[in-house]
Amino acid sequence: MQDDLARVLFDEATILRRLDQIAAEISRDYRERELTVIAILNGSLIFMADLLRRIPLPLKLDCLSVASYHGGVETTGELIFRQVALPDIAGRHILILDDILDSGITLSAVRQKLETAGPASIRVCVLLQKKKLRRRTVDADYVGFEIEDEFVVGYGLDYAERYRNLPCIGVLRKELITGSS
Ligand code: IMP
Ligand code: MG
């Protein structure tokens, strides 16, 4: 699998060191407020597991399953919520976790939807944020790493559902992306 990468951006040790820092920041910020984490599946699964185990606070966890990609590397712009009912978040302090902030479509739609359920506050935490002009304005409050506008896989991130179990994050070789020349 690792042979399919053009280059590795962050190895596992680097990712985990950064998670120690973000977890410390989150733990400090939520010391006096009860935290409810909403993780966006599937991309944030591995990030979520490693991050939450570094936050020594009582917290609640819920997951939302959404899709926007349909196997390609560009967002279709349309977001599908796979479950009908939202978690009960009225009056709670919400931290949304996602793998990557790219066009912003996913996080702005999720945020808007959660806002209708009357939470006390909402913040956003992403492992990766692409440096680019976003199609929707969303600010992440906690960001693991800023990356160039390249397609990356590993550590939960997929291409056509593959590579999520790579322990590192890397740029996928261009010739492996269908439709690229
Ligand atoms: P957005 O809605 O364009 O911000 O994209 C968010 C979702 O698209 C993420 O949660 C990922 O699942 C997927 N995505 C965006 N960029 C990448 C990438 O470089 N590699 C893998 N998945 C990505
Ligand atoms: Mg994906």
Tab-separated table of all heavy atoms in Angstrom, residues 40-44 66 68-69 72-75 79 98-108 128 130 132 134-135 138 147-154 156-159 164, ligand 1:
chain	number	residue	atom	x	y	z
A	40	ILE	N	-17.373	12.602	12.404
A	40	ILE	CA	-17.937	12.361	11.080
A	40	ILE	C	-17.267	11.129	10.464
A	40	ILE	O	-16.061	11.106	10.256
A	40	ILE	CB	-17.770	13.609	10.180
A	40	ILE	CG1	-18.434	14.807	10.882
A	40	ILE	CG2	-18.396	13.369	8.819
A	40	ILE	CD1	-18.331	16.101	10.137
A	41	LEU	N	-18.089	10.126	10.220
A	41	LEU	CA	-17.588	8.855	9.688
A	41	LEU	C	-17.546	8.916	8.157
A	41	LEU	O	-18.293	9.661	7.577
A	41	LEU	CB	-18.521	7.712	10.110
A	41	LEU	CG	-18.679	7.543	11.624
A	41	LEU	CD1	-19.623	6.379	11.913
A	41	LEU	CD2	-17.340	7.318	12.289
A	42	ASN	N	-16.716	8.118	7.513
A	42	ASN	CA	-15.782	7.160	8.088
A	42	ASN	C	-14.402	7.772	8.311
A	42	ASN	O	-13.595	7.217	9.051
A	42	ASN	CB	-15.601	5.959	7.130
A	42	ASN	CG	-16.887	5.178	6.955
A	42	ASN	OD1	-17.683	5.058	7.857
A	42	ASN	ND2	-17.091	4.650	5.768
A	43	GLY	N	-14.156	8.899	7.661
A	43	GLY	CA	-12.792	9.428	7.594
A	43	GLY	C	-12.148	9.745	8.928
A	43	GLY	O	-10.939	9.659	9.074
A	44	SER	N	-12.976	10.119	9.942
A	44	SER	CA	-12.364	10.560	11.192
A	44	SER	C	-12.164	9.433	12.200
A	44	SER	O	-11.703	9.671	13.318
A	44	SER	CB	-13.205	11.669	11.834
A	44	SER	OG	-14.403	11.129	12.345
A	66	VAL	N	-21.806	10.723	6.867
A	66	VAL	CA	-22.175	11.528	5.703
A	66	VAL	C	-21.286	11.121	4.523
A	66	VAL	O	-20.241	10.526	4.712
A	66	VAL	CB	-21.996	13.050	5.954
A	66	VAL	CG1	-22.810	13.515	7.117
A	66	VAL	CG2	-20.537	13.419	6.138
A	68	SER	N	-19.951	12.627	0.496
A	68	SER	CA	-20.069	13.628	-0.555
A	68	SER	C	-19.260	13.228	-1.776
A	68	SER	O	-19.310	13.879	-2.795
A	68	SER	CB	-19.578	14.989	-0.055
A	68	SER	OG	-18.213	14.907	0.274
A	69	TYR	N	-18.530	12.115	-1.661
A	69	TYR	CA	-17.497	11.891	-2.673
A	69	TYR	C	-17.799	10.928	-3.810
A	69	TYR	O	-17.365	11.120	-4.913
A	69	TYR	CB	-16.213	11.427	-1.974
A	69	TYR	CG	-15.226	12.525	-1.929
A	69	TYR	CD1	-15.639	13.805	-1.634
A	69	TYR	CD2	-13.896	12.306	-2.222
A	69	TYR	CE1	-14.757	14.836	-1.620
A	69	TYR	CE2	-12.999	13.341	-2.206
A	69	TYR	CZ	-13.436	14.614	-1.896
A	69	TYR	OH	-12.546	15.628	-1.886
A	72	GLY	N	-14.629	9.514	-6.140
A	72	GLY	CA	-13.680	10.329	-6.901
A	72	GLY	C	-12.756	11.114	-6.001
A	72	GLY	O	-12.679	10.858	-4.807
A	73	VAL	N	-12.055	12.075	-6.557
A	73	VAL	CA	-11.196	12.924	-5.728
A	73	VAL	C	-11.757	14.331	-5.605
A	73	VAL	O	-11.218	15.153	-4.888
A	73	VAL	CB	-9.739	13.005	-6.244
A	73	VAL	CG1	-9.057	11.663	-6.129
A	73	VAL	CG2	-9.669	13.528	-7.664
A	74	GLU	N	-12.811	14.641	-6.321
A	74	GLU	CA	-13.422	15.966	-6.225
A	74	GLU	C	-14.803	15.820	-5.602
A	74	GLU	O	-15.545	14.897	-5.926
A	74	GLU	CB	-13.578	16.595	-7.625
A	74	GLU	CG	-12.280	17.135	-8.213
A	74	GLU	CD	-11.642	18.239	-7.384
A	74	GLU	OE1	-12.379	18.988	-6.717
A	74	GLU	OE2	-10.410	18.334	-7.402
A	75	THR	N	-15.175	16.745	-4.748
A	75	THR	CA	-16.493	16.666	-4.129
A	75	THR	C	-17.572	16.927	-5.180
A	75	THR	O	-17.382	17.702	-6.113
A	75	THR	CB	-16.630	17.659	-2.960
A	75	THR	OG1	-17.945	17.567	-2.444
A	75	THR	CG2	-16.361	19.090	-3.393
A	79	LEU	N	-24.259	16.769	-0.173
A	79	LEU	CA	-23.945	15.985	1.004
A	79	LEU	C	-25.121	15.083	1.371
A	79	LEU	O	-26.254	15.529	1.414
A	79	LEU	CB	-23.637	16.919	2.178
A	79	LEU	CG	-22.884	16.248	3.318
A	79	LEU	CD1	-21.441	15.995	2.927
A	79	LEU	CD2	-22.936	17.114	4.566
A	98	ASP	N	-13.528	15.965	12.135
A	98	ASP	CA	-13.474	15.403	10.786
A	98	ASP	C	-12.027	15.215	10.373
A	98	ASP	O	-11.119	15.799	10.966
A	98	ASP	CB	-14.229	16.294	9.787
A	98	ASP	CG	-14.684	15.496	8.552
A	98	ASP	OD1	-14.443	14.277	8.488
A	98	ASP	OD2	-15.277	16.104	7.649
A	99	ASP	N	-11.837	14.374	9.345
A	99	ASP	CA	-10.483	14.088	8.906
A	99	ASP	C	-9.835	15.298	8.228
A	99	ASP	O	-8.704	15.645	8.510
A	99	ASP	CB	-10.462	12.846	7.990
A	99	ASP	CG	-11.465	12.922	6.836
A	99	ASP	OD1	-12.221	13.917	6.736
A	99	ASP	OD2	-11.505	11.981	6.030
A	100	ILE	N	-10.601	15.956	7.316
A	100	ILE	CA	-9.946	16.973	6.494
A	100	ILE	C	-10.936	18.056	6.090
A	100	ILE	O	-12.100	17.773	5.802
A	100	ILE	CB	-9.274	16.308	5.251
A	100	ILE	CG1	-8.439	17.301	4.445
A	100	ILE	CG2	-10.282	15.616	4.354
A	100	ILE	CD1	-7.470	16.619	3.481
A	101	LEU	N	-10.465	19.280	6.101
A	101	LEU	CA	-11.256	20.415	5.621
A	101	LEU	C	-10.753	20.753	4.224
A	101	LEU	O	-9.629	21.207	4.045
A	101	LEU	CB	-11.088	21.598	6.579
A	101	LEU	CG	-11.830	22.895	6.288
A	101	LEU	CD1	-13.304	22.679	6.032
A	101	LEU	CD2	-11.645	23.873	7.439
A	102	ASP	N	-11.611	20.459	3.238
A	102	ASP	CA	-11.219	20.642	1.834
A	102	ASP	C	-12.072	21.765	1.242
A	102	ASP	O	-11.767	22.941	1.432
A	102	ASP	CB	-11.376	19.305	1.106
A	102	ASP	CG	-10.964	19.365	-0.344
A	102	ASP	OD1	-10.218	20.281	-0.713
A	102	ASP	OD2	-11.382	18.492	-1.131
A	103	SER	N	-13.182	21.430	0.580
A	103	SER	CA	-14.028	22.493	0.014
A	103	SER	C	-14.831	23.207	1.096
A	103	SER	O	-15.312	24.315	0.896
A	103	SER	CB	-14.989	21.900	-1.019
A	103	SER	OG	-15.986	21.155	-0.360
A	104	GLY	N	-15.018	22.539	2.235
A	104	GLY	CA	-15.812	23.114	3.321
A	104	GLY	C	-17.282	22.713	3.268
A	104	GLY	O	-18.042	23.013	4.179
A	105	ILE	N	-17.665	22.022	2.200
A	105	ILE	CA	-19.082	21.672	2.031
A	105	ILE	C	-19.571	20.748	3.153
A	105	ILE	O	-20.623	20.975	3.745
A	105	ILE	CB	-19.312	21.036	0.641
A	105	ILE	CG1	-19.212	22.152	-0.411
A	105	ILE	CG2	-20.664	20.334	0.548
A	105	ILE	CD1	-19.206	21.672	-1.831
A	106	THR	N	-18.783	19.732	3.469
A	106	THR	CA	-19.191	18.783	4.505
A	106	THR	C	-19.361	19.485	5.849
A	106	THR	O	-20.414	19.404	6.481
A	106	THR	CB	-18.124	17.671	4.666
A	106	THR	OG1	-17.944	17.054	3.404
A	106	THR	CG2	-18.545	16.649	5.705
A	107	LEU	N	-18.314	20.184	6.279
A	107	LEU	CA	-18.367	20.758	7.621
A	107	LEU	C	-19.387	21.877	7.739
A	107	LEU	O	-20.026	22.016	8.779
A	107	LEU	CB	-16.972	21.234	8.045
A	107	LEU	CG	-16.139	20.075	8.593
A	107	LEU	CD1	-14.681	20.468	8.738
A	107	LEU	CD2	-16.687	19.603	9.937
A	108	SER	N	-19.582	22.657	6.678
A	108	SER	CA	-20.576	23.725	6.821
A	108	SER	C	-21.977	23.122	6.874
A	108	SER	O	-22.817	23.577	7.643
A	108	SER	CB	-20.443	24.791	5.739
A	108	SER	OG	-20.799	24.266	4.502
A	128	LEU	N	-6.545	17.546	9.192
A	128	LEU	CA	-5.856	18.221	8.092
A	128	LEU	C	-6.706	19.358	7.546
A	128	LEU	O	-7.936	19.286	7.554
A	128	LEU	CB	-5.596	17.230	6.941
A	128	LEU	CG	-4.806	15.974	7.262
A	128	LEU	CD1	-4.819	15.028	6.068
A	128	LEU	CD2	-3.368	16.312	7.644
A	130	LYS	N	-6.673	21.843	4.011
A	130	LYS	CA	-5.984	22.173	2.756
A	130	LYS	C	-5.915	23.678	2.582
A	130	LYS	O	-6.888	24.380	2.833
A	130	LYS	CB	-6.718	21.563	1.563
A	130	LYS	CG	-6.520	20.065	1.452
A	130	LYS	CD	-7.062	19.520	0.142
A	130	LYS	CE	-7.020	18.003	0.184
A	130	LYS	NZ	-7.713	17.388	-0.955
A	132	LYS	N	-6.394	26.364	0.458
A	132	LYS	CA	-7.073	26.652	-0.800
A	132	LYS	C	-8.255	27.550	-0.537
A	132	LYS	O	-8.664	27.745	0.618
A	132	LYS	CB	-7.549	25.356	-1.462
A	132	LYS	CG	-8.693	24.680	-0.695
A	132	LYS	CD	-8.970	23.276	-1.154
A	132	LYS	CE	-9.679	23.180	-2.480
A	132	LYS	NZ	-10.082	21.803	-2.788
A	134	ARG	N	-11.969	27.995	-0.223
A	134	ARG	CA	-13.048	27.044	0.026
A	134	ARG	C	-14.361	27.465	-0.621
A	134	ARG	O	-14.626	28.645	-0.777
A	134	ARG	CB	-13.251	26.879	1.532
A	134	ARG	CG	-12.294	25.873	2.087
A	134	ARG	CD	-12.370	25.718	3.567
A	134	ARG	NE	-11.113	26.109	4.189
A	134	ARG	CZ	-9.942	25.563	3.936
A	134	ARG	NH1	-9.842	24.579	3.079
A	134	ARG	NH2	-8.857	25.984	4.532
A	135	ARG	N	-15.161	26.463	-0.977
A	135	ARG	CA	-16.471	26.767	-1.575
A	135	ARG	C	-17.469	27.202	-0.509
A	135	ARG	O	-18.461	27.840	-0.806
A	135	ARG	CB	-16.969	25.544	-2.360
A	135	ARG	CG	-16.181	25.386	-3.666
A	135	ARG	CD	-16.379	24.050	-4.310
A	135	ARG	NE	-17.771	23.818	-4.692
A	135	ARG	CZ	-18.206	22.701	-5.250
A	135	ARG	NH1	-17.349	21.720	-5.490
A	135	ARG	NH2	-19.462	22.544	-5.562
A	138	VAL	N	-15.908	27.916	6.402
A	138	VAL	CA	-15.983	27.239	7.698
A	138	VAL	C	-14.636	27.407	8.344
A	138	VAL	O	-13.611	27.223	7.685
A	138	VAL	CB	-16.120	25.694	7.605
A	138	VAL	CG1	-17.005	25.156	8.690
A	138	VAL	CG2	-16.459	25.211	6.252
A	147	ILE	N	-2.024	21.451	4.869
A	147	ILE	CA	-1.337	20.816	3.731
A	147	ILE	C	-1.666	21.561	2.436
A	147	ILE	O	-2.628	22.319	2.370
A	147	ILE	CB	-1.724	19.318	3.576
A	147	ILE	CG1	-3.233	19.169	3.314
A	147	ILE	CG2	-1.314	18.520	4.797
A	147	ILE	CD1	-3.622	17.757	2.874
A	148	GLU	N	-0.851	21.305	1.413
A	148	GLU	CA	-1.134	21.889	0.095
A	148	GLU	C	-2.390	21.230	-0.470
A	148	GLU	O	-2.846	20.216	0.045
A	148	GLU	CB	0.055	21.641	-0.858
A	148	GLU	CG	1.365	22.283	-0.402
A	148	GLU	CD	1.253	23.796	-0.207
A	148	GLU	OE1	0.547	24.447	-1.003
A	148	GLU	OE2	1.852	24.317	0.750
A	149	ASP	N	-2.895	21.767	-1.571
A	149	ASP	CA	-4.111	21.239	-2.178
A	149	ASP	C	-3.781	20.000	-3.026
A	149	ASP	O	-3.719	20.059	-4.247
A	149	ASP	CB	-4.764	22.336	-3.031
A	149	ASP	CG	-6.135	21.908	-3.518
A	149	ASP	OD1	-6.641	20.872	-3.067
A	149	ASP	OD2	-6.696	22.638	-4.363
A	150	GLU	N	-3.507	18.886	-2.338
A	150	GLU	CA	-3.164	17.628	-3.006
A	150	GLU	C	-4.038	16.544	-2.422
A	150	GLU	O	-4.492	16.668	-1.289
A	150	GLU	CB	-1.707	17.240	-2.719
A	150	GLU	CG	-0.694	18.182	-3.285
A	150	GLU	CD	0.724	17.735	-2.958
A	150	GLU	OE1	1.074	17.696	-1.766
A	150	GLU	OE2	1.464	17.427	-3.894
A	151	PHE	N	-4.239	15.462	-3.164
A	151	PHE	CA	-5.087	14.389	-2.649
A	151	PHE	C	-4.255	13.447	-1.785
A	151	PHE	O	-3.273	12.874	-2.237
A	151	PHE	CB	-5.756	13.614	-3.791
A	151	PHE	CG	-6.898	12.796	-3.288
A	151	PHE	CD1	-8.131	13.395	-3.022
A	151	PHE	CD2	-6.742	11.445	-3.009
A	151	PHE	CE1	-9.196	12.657	-2.500
A	151	PHE	CE2	-7.799	10.704	-2.496
A	151	PHE	CZ	-9.018	11.300	-2.240
A	152	VAL	N	-4.654	13.317	-0.530
A	152	VAL	CA	-3.891	12.502	0.418
A	152	VAL	C	-4.717	11.319	0.913
A	152	VAL	O	-5.945	11.363	0.893
A	152	VAL	CB	-3.422	13.349	1.625
A	152	VAL	CG1	-2.453	14.434	1.181
A	152	VAL	CG2	-4.601	13.967	2.368
A	153	VAL	N	-4.030	10.276	1.325
A	153	VAL	CA	-4.705	9.094	1.874
A	153	VAL	C	-3.959	8.609	3.123
A	153	VAL	O	-2.829	9.019	3.388
A	153	VAL	CB	-4.753	7.919	0.848
A	153	VAL	CG1	-5.639	8.258	-0.331
A	153	VAL	CG2	-3.352	7.515	0.400
A	154	GLY	N	-4.624	7.711	3.849
A	154	GLY	CA	-4.004	7.090	5.018
A	154	GLY	C	-4.548	7.651	6.312
A	154	GLY	O	-5.175	8.718	6.327
A	156	GLY	N	-7.058	6.907	8.059
A	156	GLY	CA	-8.502	7.149	7.996
A	156	GLY	C	-8.985	7.707	6.669
A	156	GLY	O	-10.143	7.533	6.305
A	157	LEU	N	-8.096	8.388	5.953
A	157	LEU	CA	-8.503	8.988	4.670
A	157	LEU	C	-8.400	7.967	3.546
A	157	LEU	O	-7.413	7.234	3.450
A	157	LEU	CB	-7.620	10.191	4.343
A	157	LEU	CG	-7.826	11.376	5.266
A	157	LEU	CD1	-6.511	11.839	5.848
A	157	LEU	CD2	-8.522	12.509	4.530
A	158	ASP	N	-9.413	7.977	2.672
A	158	ASP	CA	-9.468	6.951	1.633
A	158	ASP	C	-9.402	7.532	0.231
A	158	ASP	O	-9.655	8.709	0.006
A	158	ASP	CB	-10.786	6.176	1.733
A	158	ASP	CG	-11.985	7.023	1.275
A	158	ASP	OD1	-12.184	8.119	1.838
A	158	ASP	OD2	-12.688	6.614	0.332
A	159	TYR	N	-9.092	6.647	-0.702
A	159	TYR	CA	-9.415	6.873	-2.106
A	159	TYR	C	-10.246	5.673	-2.530
A	159	TYR	O	-9.746	4.537	-2.452
A	159	TYR	CB	-8.148	6.995	-2.969
A	159	TYR	CG	-8.491	7.062	-4.445
A	159	TYR	CD1	-9.254	8.111	-4.937
A	159	TYR	CD2	-8.100	6.054	-5.322
A	159	TYR	CE1	-9.608	8.159	-6.272
A	159	TYR	CE2	-8.443	6.100	-6.656
A	159	TYR	CZ	-9.207	7.150	-7.127
A	159	TYR	OH	-9.573	7.186	-8.447
A	164	ARG	N	-7.437	3.505	4.084
A	164	ARG	CA	-7.761	4.071	5.400
A	164	ARG	C	-6.849	3.508	6.491
A	164	ARG	O	-6.573	4.170	7.478
A	164	ARG	CB	-9.217	3.750	5.779
A	164	ARG	CG	-10.250	4.471	4.931
A	164	ARG	CD	-11.610	4.405	5.606
A	164	ARG	NE	-12.721	4.689	4.713
A	164	ARG	CZ	-13.174	5.898	4.414
A	164	ARG	NH1	-12.593	6.960	4.919
A	164	ARG	NH2	-14.203	6.058	3.602
B	1	IMP	P1	-15.147	18.868	1.787
B	1	IMP	O1	-16.631	18.693	1.949
B	1	IMP	O2	-14.755	19.155	0.366
B	1	IMP	O3	-14.507	19.829	2.779
B	1	IMP	O4	-14.491	17.457	1.979
B	1	IMP	C1	-14.542	16.775	3.118
B	1	IMP	C2	-14.479	15.284	2.886
B	1	IMP	O5	-13.950	14.937	1.598
B	1	IMP	C3	-13.530	14.724	3.899
B	1	IMP	O6	-14.209	14.388	5.072
B	1	IMP	C4	-12.921	13.547	3.173
B	1	IMP	O7	-13.724	12.399	3.377
B	1	IMP	C5	-12.973	13.930	1.716
B	1	IMP	N1	-11.655	14.468	1.244
B	1	IMP	C6	-11.345	15.736	0.933
B	1	IMP	N2	-10.057	15.850	0.545
B	1	IMP	C7	-9.548	14.599	0.628
B	1	IMP	C8	-8.231	14.050	0.371
B	1	IMP	O8	-7.251	14.716	0.008
B	1	IMP	N3	-8.109	12.708	0.574
B	1	IMP	C9	-9.123	11.912	0.992
B	1	IMP	N4	-10.353	12.379	1.248
B	1	IMP	C10	-10.556	13.711	1.074
